[in-house]
């Protein structure tokens, strides 16, 4: 497929260039690599230079990259560390955001269909956990109490909308989707029961023996679990991202009995597969898909971009700030702005709306553009608040609690 090779090569080159630019810009302003990946895609895509158009190869690798992003987000979740208060507060916060988001969607799309209101409302309730985790990790904040709180908020901010997409934005009625969701939960529970048990001795031996050989059984097992749960979600008519997210949590449990150094080796290899190839291709391709011409077609559409950016803070940030009322003000502010950063699921949800003819390209582009700004600006503000809070006991590590 020679006509498919050139765009893919350009996207790979842009993915290579993004971290180099991020490193160069870090001296002036720390820009997340993911933001540069999207912006480079916009630059090379039809909106500006028109070097890259989406092809079947790009579509496949990009879709797999989104699945890997959700898988790695699920893999990072330590349910033991998140259980209790952080998870309860995050759940309450997302439920409040859902009510507020759907209300805002109703007001913004007053004369539109129910689905168009749902698309706008659900997109406002997302949090970009898969995007925030690398930022927290690079800042050394992931293993802190603050990092655990952001992870809990992000977990609900991705898992909740994915479930809602499966229930409300599918081709079937909500009742049938709910039954399918229960069936998927049963399948996932069965896999989790298996994952909680130690690996059979022979399998465990081969997994360890192939960690540094061409066998790579641990990675192949991870990909198999990912494919299994994605297939199960797809067969049940649910969003495949639900399967990918659940697969990451299952694989983490599968590996929990391994020695710490072996677990770190497997995690590093999964990061290399995901963030080394598939995830950056997804973000660059998302930039290629971005309809900049529709965004700047008229002043009214362009004005939606700052409006959506503010609405992310209102729908996700404000409930978080109010619920964490017993935390220091800097911590509350940091958690609120981290909760308001969203991009991958905004791309997915608005894409569903545009494909179904329920959302015009202009507002969809404005929402995606606001998502890009949110993952650029909000983590910077959140990290500043985190660093302001490190002088007190709030920044103690999870193991110290």
């Amino acid at each position: 497929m020679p006509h498919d090779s050139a765009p893919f090569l350009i996207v790979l080159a842009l993915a290579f260039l993004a971290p180099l630019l991020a490193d160069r810009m870090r001296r002036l302003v720390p820009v997340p690599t993911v933001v540069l990946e999207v912006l480079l895609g916009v630059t090379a895509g039809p909106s500006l230079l028109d070097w890259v158009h989406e092809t079947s190869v790009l579509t496949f690798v990009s879709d797999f990259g989104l699945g890997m992003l959700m898988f790695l987000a699920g893999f990072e979740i330590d349910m033991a560390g998140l259980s209790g208060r952080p998870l309860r507060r995050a759940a309450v916060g997302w439920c409040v955001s859902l009510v507020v988001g759907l209300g805002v969607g109703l007001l913004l799309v007053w004369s539109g269909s129910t689905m168009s209101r749902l698309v706008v409302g659900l997109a406002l309730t997302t949090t970009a956990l898969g995007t925030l985790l690398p930022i927290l990790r690079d800042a050394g904040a992931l293993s802190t109490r603050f990092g655990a709180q952001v992870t809990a908020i992000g977990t609900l901010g991705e898992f909740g909308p994915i479930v809602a997409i499966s229930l409300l934005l599918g081709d079937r009625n909500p009742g049938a989707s709910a039954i399918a969701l229960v069936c998927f939960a049963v399948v996932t529970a069965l896999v989790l029961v298996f994952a909680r048990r130690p690996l059979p001795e022979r399998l465990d031996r081969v997994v360890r023996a192939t960690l540094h050989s061409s066998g790579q059984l641990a990675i192949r097992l991870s990909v198999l679990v990912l494919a299994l749960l994605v297939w199960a979600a797809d067969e049940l008519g649910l969003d495949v991202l639900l399967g990918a997210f659940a697969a990451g949590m299952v694989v983490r449990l599968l590996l929990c009995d391994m020695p710490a150094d072996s677990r770190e080796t497997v995690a590093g290899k999964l990061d290399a597969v995901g963030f080394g190839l598939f995830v950056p291709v997804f973000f660059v391709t998302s930039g290629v898909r971005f309809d900049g011409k529709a965004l700047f077609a008229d002043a009214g559409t362009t004005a939606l971009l700052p409006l959506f950016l503010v609405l992310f803070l209102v729908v996700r940030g404000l409930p978080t700030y109010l619920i964490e009322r017993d935390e220091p003000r800097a911590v509350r502010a940091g958690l609120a702005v981290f909760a308001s950063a969203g991009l991958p699921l905004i791309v997915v949800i608005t894409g569903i709306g545009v494909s179904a003819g329920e959302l015009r390209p202009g507002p969809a582009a404005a929402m995606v553009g606001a998502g890009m700004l949110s993952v650029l600006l909000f983590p910077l503000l959140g990290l500043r608040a985190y660093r302001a809070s490190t002088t007190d006991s709030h920044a103690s590590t999870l193991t110290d609690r």
Side-chain angles (χ1 to χ4, degrees):
M1 292 179 291
H3 62 287
D4 280 1
S5 301
F8 185 54
L9 178 60
I10 295 173
V11 167
L12 289 179
L14 295 175
F16 169 78
L17 184 61
L20 296 177
L21 289 175
D23 181 69
R24 178 62 64 90
M25 296 176 66
R26 188 168 287 117
R27 301 170 186 174
L28 299 175
V29 55
V31 180
T33 302
V34 58
V35 174
L36 291 175
E37 289 165 353
V38 175
L39 291 177
L40 287 171
V42 173
T43 303
S47 295
L48 290 176
L49 298 178
D50 202 23
W51 289 349
V52 180
H53 289 264
E54 193 168 358
T55 64
S56 58
V57 172
L58 274 183
T59 299
F60 174 78
V61 179
S62 173
D63 289 348
F64 193 84
L66 177 57
M68 280 297 299
L69 182 66
M70 293 298 106
F71 171 84
L72 291 169
F75 183 79
E76 288 282 1
I77 296 172
D78 179 9
M79 294 307 298
L82 293 182
S83 60
R85 177 173 159 179
L87 200 58
R88 286 197 303 269
R89 289 196 167 188
V92 172
W94 186 78
C95 289
V96 173
S97 293
L98 179 62
V99 173
V100 176
L102 293 179
V104 170
L106 178 63
L107 292 175
L108 288 180
V109 199
W110 181 260
S111 60
S113 66
T114 300
M115 183 176 177
S116 61
R117 298 166 185 166
L118 289 173
V119 166
V120 173
L122 287 178
L124 293 172
T125 68
T126 67
T127 298
L129 176 64
T131 306
L132 297 179
L133 288 177
I135 296 173
L136 288 168
R137 187 191 299 120
D138 292 345
L142 190 58
S143 61
T144 67
R145 179 181 174 189
F146 183 86
Q149 290 171 295
V150 173
T151 303
I153 292 167
T155 299
L156 270 296
E158 288 205 329
F159 186 74
I162 289 172
V163 172
I165 291 170
S166 298
L167 286 174
L168 303 175
L169 299 185
D171 296 329
R172 297 182 297 187
N173 64 68
S177 296
I179 294 173
L181 189 62
V182 171
C183 294
F184 178 78
V186 171
V187 172
T188 305
L190 292 174
V191 177
L192 284 170
V193 169
F194 171 78
R196 283 182 172 273
R197 301 172 61 184
L199 292 175
E201 182 178 350
R202 183 177 179 182
L203 181 60
D204 183 62
R205 178 180 58 79
V206 179
V207 164
R208 299 189 190 198
T210 58
L211 276 177
H212 302 284
S213 73
S214 60
Q216 296 295 329
L217 190 61
I219 306 304
R220 299 184 189 195
L221 175 62
S222 301
V223 174
L224 178 61
V225 173
L226 170 61
L228 172 65
L229 289 180
V230 165
W231 172 82
D234 188 50
E235 286 295 303
L236 290 168
L238 302 173
D239 195 284
V240 295
L241 300 184
L242 184 61
F245 195 86
M249 300 172 67
V250 169
V251 170
R252 184 182 181 94
L253 280 177
L254 277 171
L255 303 178
C256 66
D257 291 326
M258 296 179 68
D261 58 339
S262 296
R263 287 200 308 273
E264 291 176 4
T265 298
V266 174
K269 291 176 183 291
L270 290 173
D271 273 353
V273 172
F275 293 112
L277 172 60
F278 294 103
V279 174
V281 169
F282 162 71
F283 282 117
V284 175
T285 305
S286 296
V288 171
R289 293 168 178 162
F290 181 74
D291 194 344
K293 295 177 182 177
L295 174 60
F296 297 107
D298 58 80
T301 302
T302 306
L304 290 176
L305 192 151
L307 174 63
F308 281 130
L309 192 64
V310 172
L311 288 176
F312 291 153
L313 288 168
V314 172
V315 175
R316 285 297 284 144
L318 185 58
T320 300
Y321 186 85
L322 295 176
I323 288 170
E324 301 289 348
R325 57 189 177 278
D326 55 346
E327 297 286 359
R329 182 173 297 178
V331 174
R332 296 169 69 191
L335 293 174
V337 291
F338 265 113
S340 305
L343 181 60
L345 287 180
I346 294 174
V347 173
V348 173
I349 295 171
T350 55
I352 292 173
V354 172
S355 299
E358 300 289 346
L359 190 64
R360 291 184 291 110
M367 187 166 279
V368 172
M372 285 191 279
L373 287 177
S374 75
V375 297
L376 170 63
L377 299 176
F378 295 162
L380 297 179
L381 297 174
L383 286 176
R384 180 176 296 180
Y386 159 71
R387 293 187 179 108
S389 72
T390 55
T391 55
D392 58 36
S393 60
H394 186 85
S396 61
T397 60
L398 295 175
T399 55
D400 293 332
R401 284 195 292 166

